[in-house]
Amino acid sequence: MMTEPLLKVEDLRLAYQTERGIVTAVDGLNFEIQRNEALVVLGESGCGKSSLAKALLRVLPRNVKHHSGRVLLDGVDIMPLSPERFRREIQWLRISLVMQASMNALNPVMRVGEQVAEPLCVHRGWSPHKAMARAGEVFELVGVSGDFLRRYPFELSGGMRQRVVLAMALVAEPELVIMDEPTSALDVLTQAGIMNRLKRIKRELGTSFMLITHDVATSSEIADRVALMYAGQFVELSSAAQFFAKPAHPYGKLLMDSVPRLHQTRQPDHIPGQPPNLMLLPSGCRFADRCPARFDRCDEDPMPIALSKRNEVRCWLYTDRIETGKPQGLHNTPIPVLETRPLSKEVLVTAQDLHTWFELKQWGFIRAGYVRAVNGVNFHLYRGEAVAFVGESGCGKSSLARTLLGLHAPTRGEVVFEGRHMHALNKHELKQYRARVGYVQQDPFGALPPFMTIRRALSEPLIIHGVKDRKERETRIRAALEEVRLSPADDYLPKFPHMLSGGQQQRVVIARSLILQPAMIIADEPVSMLDASVRVEILRLLRTIQSKRELTLAFITHDLSTVRHFADRIFVMYGGRIVEAATVDDLLDFPQHPYTQALLAATADPDAKNAAQERELPDGEPPSLLHPPPGCHFHPRCPYAIKGLCDVEEPPEFEPRAVHYSACWLHKDT
Amino acid sequence: MNPSQNPSIPKNAEGLVRDLKLMLLFTGKRIIALALMVLIGVYLTILIANMGGRVDELRLVQIRSEISEAVRGDLSFRELNSDERNRLIQRRVDLEVQRLNLDRPFLLRSFNYLYRAMLLDLGRAEQMHSDQGSREVHAIILERLPATLLLFGTANLLIFFLSVYIALWLSRHYGSLIDRIVIVLAPTSAAPAWFYGIFLILFFAFLLPILPAGGMVEAPPPLGRRDYALSVLKHMALPVLAMLLSQIFISIYSWRTFFLIHSSEDYVEMARAKGLPSRMIERRYILRPTLAPVITSFMLMLISMWSGAIILERTFSWPGLGTLIFQAIGHHDTPVIIGSVVIFAYLLAFSILVLDIVYGIVDPRVRIGAKR
């Protein structure tokens, strides 16, 4: 390629001054982005990838200590420009930004159309009317109806807000759009829908993208090239085809192995250790501590080594360009295969026609309607099995968990646990019941009282349930910590939650849920707040404990790709109901319900080929639980909906395959 | 994304028209709620000022003794025997009781009071009278009201705009010397305005006599309009300053912290990335979204200010409602007390209503949330 690259970055550096020291977030980056090319910057949280976006767009916090390098946009260095000229000439007109999907990326008190049109009025001096017309055009481009121009952000769903943020980035037709985790807070279907749009926009407008993310699978949807970032540096810069097939750097290899995949029987593995603190960077290779292929030379700082014309890697293994391209000493460590037990047939929990509705009040006392969070759910959970409840946000899966825990009283129907009806339990029996069911929450930091040491947090359930002997408590606490592999226990017991990492906090939460010897554990999105590299670790831990203790594990998640290795059966939930239930392999390989099929189609395994095609997705949004559509809740979005049947009558459960249930009229004849 | 699939979002409603409608609805609801609030407050005052009906018994005894005194002292009734005299007294007492409606149950009368109070028919004062000699409570209060409104209106507006402006400036110069001084001074707001008033009078009226110690205007009021206004302004300076001193540091401090927290919101960062000028970011992205909570805290401040008015006006002998209540309490003049409280209740409700409407204007979530 002889043309000038759109963006050429040379030796970009950014450091912050904090109370505890200097944080080197971006440490000498060199890279190029060609026109109409998408560069994905892949890295764990805290590797400096968000700082890279800030450094390029000069959205810097007050405490910046050092910001240097050359940033050539179309061959012209934009770093020496004065802040005022940079603001007027570069920001948004030539480089724009899409922030992480959240309510907060949009001003809550301004109409979304105004916010999208604003840069045109400010930078180009357009009249508000003309700018609004243009905002309407980009709205169409990202797939939001122009009717929403005059709405406020809180009136839009999460997916729509993220599309608006995308529209905002495209409004001035910039040459480069930087996206910082644009889809990571969104549901699977919404996420896939936005990636589809991005592909189309890239093809039609010829815009260049820089996508910053930790999510390997999503990144493969659009990547032309991949930059792997670790501790402020790029350790590998490759074409997407090269990277997703065979990453060169040991970190890349481990990262690829840690991604849970839908269509792979090999268990994902986690990366041991933690990324270095950006305040105290080790000398030599920054990955050396976690690297399985470490050797003497790793104490020296590695140079970027060119593997081919545009691919380079920062690793001493490639000093003499080993022919195979495969680093020495790096091989697949054999992963212990968990023995799968035959399912016991002893039923532990039964839910019968379970409904949990929440009343909405108007004026404080008039009933305005019900939120039908759980709306007629039936299932059996057997002793010693792991079950995943999968669904998008707002499908009622968390309410179901809370109902099973006895935190919400069911509106109708009942839960039977070990043969006893839960609604018939008195106060004392309910307390005993709660000791038999452990709860692992989503946010480990929020789940642990910040003012309690780990010892107190763990001894509390024991005290409540009448373990009076201090010695016995201590031994049980230590045993629980041992079981979640926090050892030596003495290191952790006197600590407060904020002193632990997210993964360690979640281990404490798991220990707490185990300490009363429960028969069942309910884990509500146990890993969604954790870093990608820790997720697999925690899931494996849960799975190991579950199978060792023969616990029933109800595992609630929105991420289908994680369930294959960590559950025996899957329940797919939609609009407060279970639409499909089957064993993991059967469900993933032969999905029956159209919604499950859509979910699976939207879930990507990392593969460079993803970028070439758009995914088939159903239109529309998940149903409102306040006014669910009549009949099958999925029928407004279903491509196979049968008029006069699906929109009228609620489908019962059919069994199209052995022990595989689907609540869909398509399977009526089975 | 077809909007028709989501029933909670109306189609084709133009933003402004819809907002206007919602705003009207919202205002209507607030007026009803506040009227109820005033009603309850005034009724409670009536109950308390009448000690739940106990005052009536006292008045009955008082009426009887006054009348029997009058009858016994009247020479023309000398020749009546005691029986006839007693009958006469009883007849007169009955007449008086009837005139004052004391024969009807207190509960009924209390509602009658309430009805009249709500219509601002506040009755006649027992002891006090207005400067023009009227005994109508309504006239007495109306005479004093403008003075109070002038003083508190000026002080509150000044505090609000000064603090917002300074707080914004400080949030930009976070960590500067002035910022730190304000932080140190914030706890001084623990003392009420009249406390500062005493010291201000001491310093500026006696030690360094440049401003008057009290009153609203010079003793013979100046004749020219300009001179009169100037004189009032001079008299206002100290009480306004006292209120300013007691409120401004805490509000600057809390709002500056507020702006600071909100200036690290994602949308502010986004606005910076968009390359908007910093003034615009400050106005649209920091001030506008935070205005609603800022107004809330101002509202709370206002309420506590109204209740401190009595002592502050007393300290500066400001001829306002506060002083009036103080005097009425001294004279045990129940109608005036009730009347002033009613007016205070109305003032408070009115200020809350104004702020509520402002709230609805600045925060779309408030007015759009109102439709549910």
Side-chain angles (χ1 to χ4, degrees):
Chain A
M1 243 178 266
M2 293 310 292
T3 48
E4 182 108 37
L6 173 67
L7 185 82
K8 190 170 163 66
V9 173
E10 290 170 11
D11 199 30
L12 186 69
R13 286 167 194 278
L14 181 70
Y16 306 110
Q17 176 78 57
T18 67
E19 281 169 24
R20 278 184 258 153
I22 294 170
V23 174
T24 316
V26 176
D27 196 9
L29 297 187
N30 295 289
F31 63 94
E32 293 174 358
I33 298 178
Q34 301 290 340
R35 285 178 191 284
N36 199 12
E37 187 180 63
L39 174 76
V40 167
V41 177
L42 204 57
E44 288 171 88
S45 65
C47 74
K49 56 192 195 303
S50 289
S51 296
L52 168 60
K54 289 178 183 162
L56 284 178
L57 250 185
R58 287 207 209 170
V59 194
L60 302 168
R62 282 168 214 263
N63 59 348
V64 166
K65 171 93 177 154
H66 184 83
H67 181 208
S68 70
R70 273 158 61 84
V71 178
L72 299 154
L73 187 64
D74 244 344
V76 182
D77 191 359
I78 55 172
M79 282 295 274
L81 289 181
S82 73
E84 187 59 20
R85 273 194 68 192
F86 187 81
R87 178 177 82 69
R88 284 175 182 279
E89 292 170 17
I90 308 295
Q91 282 186 327
W92 227 255
L93 293 178
R94 307 196 57 192
I95 306 178
S96 67
L97 175 72
V98 174
M99 277 185 129
Q100 188 158 0
S102 73
M103 179 84 190
N104 266 348
L106 292 166
N107 185 342
V109 299
M110 269 173 82
R111 294 175 203 284
V112 289
E114 263 175 72
Q115 297 189 52
V116 171
E118 199 175 33
L120 294 175
C121 302
V122 171
H123 292 301
R124 296 223 172 113
W126 286 18
S127 73
H129 191 77
K130 191 177 168 196
M132 203 60 133
R134 166 71 188 145
E137 282 172 35
V138 275
F139 263 50
E140 296 294 334
L141 188 69
V142 297
V144 178
S145 151
D147 294 346
F148 288 97
L149 281 172
R150 295 196 169 278
R151 297 264 172 263
Y152 291 96
F154 64 92
E155 296 177 88
L156 271 54
S157 69
M160 264 203 269
R161 279 202 296 270
Q162 195 56 15
R163 281 163 196 265
V164 169
V165 174
L166 186 61
M168 191 148 79
L170 294 170
V171 76
E173 296 184 313
E175 291 135 285
L176 175 66
V177 178
I178 301 175
M179 299 187 286
D180 189 358
E181 304 272 6
T183 59
S184 58
L186 300 173
D187 273 321
V188 186
L189 288 182
T190 324
Q191 191 172 333
I194 288 185
M195 291 321 281
N196 272 353
R197 280 287 163 183
L198 279 177
K199 287 177 203 171
R200 202 174 306 164
I201 287 161
K202 178 166 174 272
R203 204 174 52 228
E204 285 169 10
L205 303 185
T207 317
S208 301
F209 288 98
M210 182 168 131
L211 175 72
I212 295 170
T213 183
H214 70 271
D215 184 346
V216 183
T218 313
S219 71
S220 74
E221 292 279 313
I222 193 165
D224 294 315
R225 291 171 57 70
V226 177
L228 185 63
M229 198 165 179
Y230 191 79
Q233 293 177 329
F234 282 170
V235 292
E236 180 172 351
L237 199 58
S238 304
S239 69
Q242 172 74 38
F243 183 83
F244 292 116
K246 198 195 266 177
H249 196 276
Y251 176 54
K253 179 115 185 67
L254 290 176
L255 192 67
M256 290 299 282
D257 284 347
S258 78
V259 179
R261 291 160 198 248
L262 264 184
H263 304 291
Q264 193 184 61
T265 38
R266 208 184 73 82
Q267 278 226 13
D269 199 4
H270 70 270
I271 309 173
Q274 300 217 344
N277 187 336
L278 291 176
M279 241 176 274
L280 313 156
L281 286 169
S283 63
C285 173
R286 291 171 186 183
F287 188 63
D289 282 349
R290 302 168 77 183
C291 187
R294 179 183 183 153
F295 65 113
D296 308 342
R297 197 139 184 217
C298 297
D299 295 338
E300 285 170 54
D301 238 341
M303 307 284 297
I305 296 165
L307 291 178
S308 65
K309 203 170 165 211
R310 295 192 68 202
N311 298 359
E312 56 176 53
V313 64
R314 213 182 253 267
C315 178
W316 286 125
L317 289 172
Y318 294 90
T319 351
D320 13 291
R321 300 276 320 276
I322 297 157
E323 286 66 37
T324 54
K326 193 180 178 188
Q328 283 173 328
L330 190 65
H331 50 86
N332 278 343
T333 39
I335 290 157
V337 176
L338 294 165
E339 46 182 302
T340 42
R341 288 163 197 284
L343 283 184
S344 90
K345 280 295 150 198
E346 188 191 345
V347 175
L348 183 76
V349 193
T350 305
Q352 282 166 8
D353 192 30
L354 197 64
H355 290 70
T356 306
W357 291 8
F358 301 104
E359 206 173 321
L360 276 190
K361 296 241 167 100
Q362 198 174 20
W363 294 90
F365 54 90
I366 303 167
R367 183 188 304 144
Y370 290 106
V371 176
R372 297 160 165 85
V374 179
N375 201 8
V377 163
N378 295 292
F379 56 79
H380 296 291
L381 301 186
Y382 299 103
R383 199 181 282 282
E385 70 168 344
V387 176
F389 290 87
V390 178
E392 292 176 279
S393 59
C395 75
K397 55 192 194 301
S398 287
S399 302
L400 178 63
R402 296 176 65 83
T403 311
L404 288 181
L405 281 165
L407 297 175
H408 295 315
T411 317
R412 205 188 321 147
E414 57 192 343
V415 177
V416 184
F417 182 82
E418 290 181 330
R420 304 180 69 172
H421 291 256
M422 214 159 78
H423 68 261
L425 299 182
N426 61 31
K427 221 172 155 187
H428 178 68
E429 288 165 331
L430 199 63
K431 192 172 150 187
Q432 281 182 333
Y433 168 71
R434 289 193 172 135
R436 302 283 294 145
V437 182
Y439 186 25
V440 177
Q441 287 108 317
Q442 181 172 14
D443 173 10
F445 185 66
L448 293 170
F451 49 85
M452 281 191 193
T453 59
I454 303 308
R455 177 181 276 118
R456 267 209 64 198
L458 290 179
S459 57
E460 202 172 57
L462 293 173
I463 295 171
I464 291 173
H465 286 92
V467 181
K468 295 224 171 58
D469 181 17
R470 185 180 286 267
K471 273 213 190 97
E472 189 194 336
R473 285 209 301 260
E474 187 74 15
T475 28
R476 283 177 74 172
I477 290 169
R478 283 169 187 277
L481 282 183
E482 198 66 41
E483 196 167 359
V484 296
R485 307 215 188 102
L486 287 178
S487 57
D490 286 315
D491 282 1
Y492 297 97
L493 284 174
K495 282 192 176 161
F496 287 92
H498 69 267
M499 300 166 164
L500 305 180
S501 72
Q504 289 168 337
Q505 287 169 3
Q506 195 59 294
R507 282 164 192 266
V508 174
V509 173
I510 294 172
R512 184 174 65 181
S513 74
L514 289 173
I515 203 153
L516 292 168
Q517 314 289 340
M520 173 164 81
I521 288 190
I522 295 174
D524 188 356
E525 305 259 11
V527 294
S528 67
M529 306 282 279
L530 303 177
D531 237 320
S533 62
V534 193
R535 285 184 187 178
V536 174
E537 209 178 330
I538 294 288
L539 287 174
R540 292 186 60 161
L541 176 74
L542 267 175
R543 182 67 160 149
T544 316
I545 292 170
Q546 178 265 331
S547 70
K548 203 160 50 181
R549 288 198 178 198
E550 289 188 51
L551 290 172
T552 303
L553 175 68
F555 163 50
I556 286 157
T557 181
H558 67 276
D559 186 1
L560 257 178
S561 61
T562 54
V563 295
R564 169 154 250 156
H565 305 290
F566 306 108
D568 303 314
R569 284 199 297 153
I570 303 184
F571 293 111
V572 180
M573 280 189 81
Y574 187 78
R577 292 178 185 156
I578 290 178
V579 295
E580 186 162 358
T583 57
V584 171
D585 294 336
D586 211 37
L587 188 121
L588 294 181
D589 297 338
F590 309 100
Q592 298 294 319
H593 196 280
Y595 175 65
T596 317
Q597 290 167 357
L599 266 188
L600 283 170
T603 312
D605 279 346
D607 187 348
K609 290 192 203 85
N610 288 342
Q613 78 236 346
E614 285 183 29
R615 295 179 181 278
E616 286 280 326
L617 295 171
D619 290 335
E621 305 253 329
S624 138
L625 294 175
L626 187 60
H627 304 288
C632 170
H633 289 344
F634 191 60
H635 85 261
R637 304 169 74 184
C638 182
Y640 313 110
I642 305 163
K643 229 181 146 96
L645 181 64
C646 292
D647 51 354
V648 181
E649 209 176 328
E650 188 185 328
E653 236 173 36
F654 299 106
E655 192 173 353
R657 292 167 63 82
V659 272
H660 189 141
Y661 304 91
S662 163
C664 177
W665 283 116
L666 294 175
H667 308 300
K668 192 179 163 195
D669 304 327
T670 52
Chain B
M1 294 291 140
N2 188 348
S4 63
Q5 285 171 353
N6 195 337
S8 67
I9 296 173
K11 275 175 285 181
N12 305 327
E14 262 310 304
L16 269 179
V17 178
R18 181 188 65 146
D19 277 10
L20 218 62
K21 272 190 206 153
L22 288 172
M23 201 56 219
L24 276 177
L25 187 70
F26 171 72
T27 312
K29 280 187 182 175
R30 291 308 299 161
I31 288 178
I32 294 170
L34 282 171
L36 266 172
M37 200 177 85
V38 172
L39 207 71
I40 293 168
V42 170
Y43 190 65
L44 282 179
T45 317
I46 290 170
L47 285 187
I48 292 167
N50 286 297
M51 295 181 184
R54 284 287 299 285
V55 170
D56 289 0
E57 288 165 30
L58 297 177
R59 277 173 80 187
L60 222 57
V61 173
Q62 194 185 2
I63 288 167
R64 180 171 292 276
S65 71
E66 268 171 21
I67 289 175
S68 41
E69 202 78 355
V71 169
R72 291 212 173 82
D74 197 331
L75 288 174
S76 47
F77 298 131
R78 255 292 147 81
E79 56 270 27
L80 294 178
N81 61 31
S82 68
D83 239 24
E84 279 171 329
R85 198 156 52 216
N86 280 349
R87 233 178 290 136
L88 181 71
I89 289 170
Q90 188 56 46
R91 207 165 53 231
R92 287 204 167 183
V93 168
D94 286 347
L95 266 173
E96 183 69 12
V97 164
Q98 229 163 37
R99 188 179 74 81
L100 291 171
N101 282 331
L102 284 177
D103 53 340
R104 293 169 58 198
F106 172 72
L107 202 67
L108 256 168
R109 275 180 306 118
S110 71
F111 285 121
N112 193 23
Y113 284 147
L114 179 65
Y115 174 71
R116 278 168 44 208
M118 294 307 281
L119 295 177
L120 292 187
D121 174 9
L122 300 169
R124 290 170 70 81
E126 283 166 4
Q127 323 267 334
M128 303 170 72
H129 51 76
S130 78
D131 293 345
Q132 282 160 352
S134 166
R135 276 205 173 253
E136 287 290 330
V137 171
H138 159 86
I140 298 175
I141 288 173
L142 274 190
E143 219 175 61
R144 304 291 189 97
L145 188 59
T148 297
L149 285 184
L150 177 69
L151 184 63
F152 282 82
T154 318
N156 282 320
L157 288 179
L158 214 62
I159 290 172
F160 183 75
F161 288 107
L162 263 180
S163 338
V164 167
Y165 189 80
I166 298 175
L168 261 183
W169 189 85
L170 283 185
S171 75
R172 218 180 317 145
H173 296 91
Y174 153 70
S176 64
L177 184 67
I178 302 178
D179 188 40
R180 274 176 285 166
I181 290 176
V182 168
I183 296 173
V184 169
L185 286 177
T188 57
S189 297
W194 58 264
F195 179 82
Y196 291 101
I198 294 170
F199 287 96
L200 287 177
I201 291 172
L202 184 67
F203 286 126
F204 293 104
F206 295 106
L207 295 179
L208 189 76
I210 47 171
L211 287 170
M216 187 171 139
V217 73
E218 277 160 41
L223 289 175
R225 254 196 164 172
R226 251 188 81 223
D227 291 342
Y228 189 89
L230 217 68
S231 167
V232 171
L233 221 59
K234 245 171 115 179
H235 283 78
M236 260 169 67
L238 283 187
V240 169
L241 192 63
M243 278 190 263
L244 212 64
L245 275 180
S246 86
Q247 286 297 343
I248 199 152
F249 292 115
I250 188 75
S251 42
I252 292 178
Y253 171 64
S254 57
W255 296 348
R256 145 217 180 264
T257 313
F258 221 85
F259 293 144
L260 215 55
I261 293 168
H262 278 260
S263 58
S264 57
E265 288 282 356
D266 288 349
Y267 51 79
V268 180
E269 203 153 275
M270 197 77 180
R272 288 209 187 99
K274 272 169 153 178
L276 305 183
S278 58
R279 294 233 153 246
M280 196 179 214
I281 294 177
E282 223 158 74
R283 214 176 52 236
R284 282 191 188 168
Y285 287 83
I286 299 181
L287 190 55
R288 239 166 78 180
T290 47
L291 210 49
V294 164
I295 286 173
T296 312
S297 77
F298 180 66
M299 197 140 82
L300 292 174
M301 196 174 91
L302 203 70
I303 292 168
S304 65
M305 246 343 196
W306 276 128
S307 54
I310 299 173
I311 309 178
L312 185 82
E313 286 192 358
R314 202 56 214 145
T315 316
F316 287 97
S317 344
W318 188 264
L321 269 182
T323 309
L324 183 72
I325 293 189
F326 193 83
Q327 287 165 346
I329 293 172
H331 287 120
H332 297 295
D333 201 329
T334 321
V336 179
I337 298 175
I338 294 182
S340 319
V341 172
V342 169
I343 294 293
F344 261 118
Y346 269 114
L347 281 180
L348 191 62
F350 187 71
S351 18
I352 292 176
L353 179 67
V354 169
L355 288 173
D356 265 344
I357 292 173
V358 174
Y359 213 119
I361 292 171
V362 300
D363 195 339
R365 283 166 292 192
V366 171
R367 60 173 180 269
I368 293 174
K371 85 184 150 192
R372 254 253 286 259

